[in-house]
């Protein structure tokens, strides 16, 4: 499962890239609005940091297919090859997806709440379909189950499209989809850190360090340790 960051804050992206195996960054119009900066300035900064090979997902905001297509061309022109254009899985979006996929532009179908939307996006040739886990839960359904159904549906129909699960409210939902083997998930920084922040693990490692230092002295480790000890 590819792991992406759903944020446009450079400090957070740098931090997560430094510590974790991250495959790229996803943004949406609301995330970009939070930066209060020119969207292309922010996105170019992200692209420069993550490199040309990493995935960057950027959403089109037009309501009609023709506008989405124009946006897609500009987005890819400005941000390079591994840029996925997020197109909402609505009728106008499917129309745009069909054209753009034929042109070889990578599409990430977004605002997916139902397997049927994902199926149509897959048939249009989208690389990803992004079910919104938490938002589906808030409608009274089970977002994780919907994502699993979509994953199975793609496989059972011979579609190459992958699930890009989005909108998580906790790390457990992410873990469940990771166990299931969906193609990708994009998560807010706090969800990613929630996967590994664990007092019991920290305490266990601290015990090892304390025991070692009781043998060799404070601050001494395996690189600074003398060949004989007092
Ligand atoms: O980018 C789409 C998705 O990640 C939205 O997440 O947390 O706003 O429901 P959220």
């Amino acid at each position: 499962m590819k792991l992406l960051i759903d944020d446009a804050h450079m400090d957070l992206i740098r931090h997560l890239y430094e510590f974790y195996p991250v495959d790229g960054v996803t943004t949406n119009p609301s995330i970009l609005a939070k930066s209060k900066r020119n969207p292309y300035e922010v996105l170019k900064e992200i692209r420069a940091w993550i490199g040309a090979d990493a995935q960057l997902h950027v959403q089109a905001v037009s309501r009609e297919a023709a506008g989405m297509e124009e946006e897609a061309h500009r987005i890819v022109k400005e941000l390079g090859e591994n840029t996925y254009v997020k197109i909402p899985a609505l009728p106008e979006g499917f129309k745009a997806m069909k054209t753009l996929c034929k042109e070889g532009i990578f599409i990430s179908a977004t605002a997916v709440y139902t397997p049927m939307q994902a199926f149509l996006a897959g048939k249009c040739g989208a690389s990803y379909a992004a079910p919104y886990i938490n938002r589906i839960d808030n409608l009274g359904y089970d977002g994780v189950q919907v994502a699993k159904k979509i994953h199975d549906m793609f496989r059972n129909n011979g579609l190459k499209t992958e699930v890009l699960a989005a909108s998580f409210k906790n790390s457990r939902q992410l873990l469940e989809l990771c166990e299931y083997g969906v193609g990708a998930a994009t998560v807010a920084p706090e969800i990613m850190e929630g996967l590994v922040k664990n007092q019991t693990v920290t305490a266990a490692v601290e015990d090892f360090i304390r025991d070692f230092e009781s043998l060799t002295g404070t601050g001494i480790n395996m690189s600074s340790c003398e060949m004989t000890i007092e």
Side-chain angles (χ1 to χ4, degrees):
M1 185 180 81
K2 289 197 187 306
L3 197 50
L4 295 103
I5 303 167
D6 201 21
D7 207 296
H9 195 290
M10 267 323 295
D11 290 346
L12 294 172
I13 291 170
R14 278 195 205 99
H15 170 76
L16 293 171
Y17 254 78
E18 188 181 351
F19 286 90
Y20 304 110
V22 178
D23 297 295
V25 171
T26 60
T27 61
N28 64 37
S30 310
I31 285 173
L32 289 174
K34 277 189 214 151
S35 76
K36 301 194 192 308
R37 294 170 56 202
N38 177 285
Y40 279 114
E41 190 183 299
V42 174
L43 290 163
K44 283 186 176 204
E45 231 174 84
I46 296 173
R47 172 53 86 202
W49 176 263
I50 66 178
D53 293 339
Q55 291 190 11
L56 177 60
H57 294 239
V58 180
Q59 190 162 333
V61 294
S62 296
R63 290 188 176 84
E64 282 91 34
M68 293 175 193
E69 289 163 27
E70 269 180 42
E71 285 186 78
H73 295 144
R74 169 92 190 272
I75 288 168
V76 172
K77 182 168 161 250
E78 299 285 351
L79 299 163
E81 273 186 8
N82 278 308
T83 304
Y84 290 69
V85 181
K86 293 174 66 172
I87 302 282
L90 296 166
E92 290 287 334
F94 296 128
K95 186 178 173 189
M97 283 181 213
K98 285 202 297 174
T99 307
L100 292 167
C101 290
K102 276 192 197 126
E103 292 174 9
I105 290 179
F106 295 153
I107 298 299
S108 190
T110 198
V112 171
Y113 287 74
T114 68
M116 205 57 220
Q117 285 174 284
F119 177 68
L120 293 175
K123 292 270 288 175
C124 290
S127 305
Y128 289 109
Y132 285 6
I133 307 304
N134 187 43
R135 297 192 194 195
I136 295 171
D137 281 1
N138 285 341
L139 291 176
Y141 299 97
D142 184 333
V144 167
Q145 291 310 317
V146 170
K148 287 179 176 179
K149 265 191 183 184
I150 293 172
H151 174 86
D152 291 344
M153 190 187 63
F154 287 153
R155 298 294 85 86
N156 294 340
N157 285 278
L159 293 167
K160 290 196 182 112
T161 314
E162 296 280 2
V163 166
L164 166 54
S167 176
F168 290 91
K169 71 168 176 290
N170 64 55
S171 305
R172 178 77 196 92
Q173 296 167 323
L174 177 61
L175 191 59
E176 200 173 332
L177 289 175
C178 180
E179 286 165 6
Y180 203 70
V182 305
T186 185
V187 293
E190 63 272 16
I191 301 287
M192 198 174 298
E193 303 239 71
L195 282 171
V196 287
K197 272 194 182 159
N198 184 321
Q199 287 302 326
T200 312
V201 177
T202 308
V205 174
E206 282 303 319
D207 283 347
F208 285 132
I209 296 169
R210 220 177 0 261
D211 287 347
F212 192 80
E213 288 184 339
S214 74
L215 174 70
T216 59
T218 306
I220 303 297
N221 59 35
M222 287 299 285
S223 76
S224 56
C225 182
E226 300 289 347
M227 290 306 282
T228 54
I229 54 174
E230 299 293 314

